[in-house]
Amino acid sequence: AGFNFIAQVEEVLEATEENPAKVVFDCEGVDLSRKGTLEAVSLCFENGLIFLVDFQGQKEVVDRRVSILKKLFESKNVRKIIHDSRMDC
């Protein structure tokens, strides 16, 4: 995970329930489901920064990306907006 991406997520995670952050995202993969594979997530933050996070490469790098995204997606203080989720479930 790149430094800018980590810093952006950490900033967003500081949002409060009274003033939630928003993130728009879309998932890409093969047969996305419990049996499919997630290959990339594109994210756009309120400040206009856009990131494409892929899940290819060294295990420790991929694990760090997954950990950061997990924190972001599990945060109650971040509103998640997903593009066409019919294919991302």
Side-chain angles (χ1 to χ4, degrees):
F3 173 74
N4 289 334
F5 175 65
I6 295 169
Q8 180 63 39
V9 171
E10 288 174 348
E11 181 180 318
V12 167
L13 290 175
E14 293 176 4
T16 63
E17 188 174 337
E18 296 78 27
N19 189 20
K22 296 178 191 83
V23 63
V24 177
F25 72 97
D26 187 35
C27 300
E28 304 299 335
V30 177
D31 296 325
L32 288 177
S33 66
R34 291 179 189 246
K35 297 179 182 181
T37 57
L38 180 64
E39 296 189 10
V41 176
S42 55
L43 301 115
C44 180
F45 294 90
E46 289 181 88
N47 61 7
L49 288 178
I50 299 171
F51 295 92
L52 178 63
V53 181
D54 71 53
F55 299 102
Q56 307 296 313
Q58 296 176 330
K59 182 179 178 349
E60 59 272 3
V61 174
V62 172
D63 288 349
R64 176 75 173 134
R65 291 174 184 160
V66 169
S67 174
I68 293 165
L69 285 172
K70 185 175 188 294
K71 288 178 187 176
L72 179 68
F73 291 148
E74 290 181 347
S75 174
K76 294 178 182 177
N77 297 331
V78 177
R79 292 198 179 135
K80 289 68 130 185
I81 303 161
I82 186 168
H83 175 74
D84 194 7
S85 62
R86 293 174 294 172
M87 299 302 294
D88 293 341
C89 299

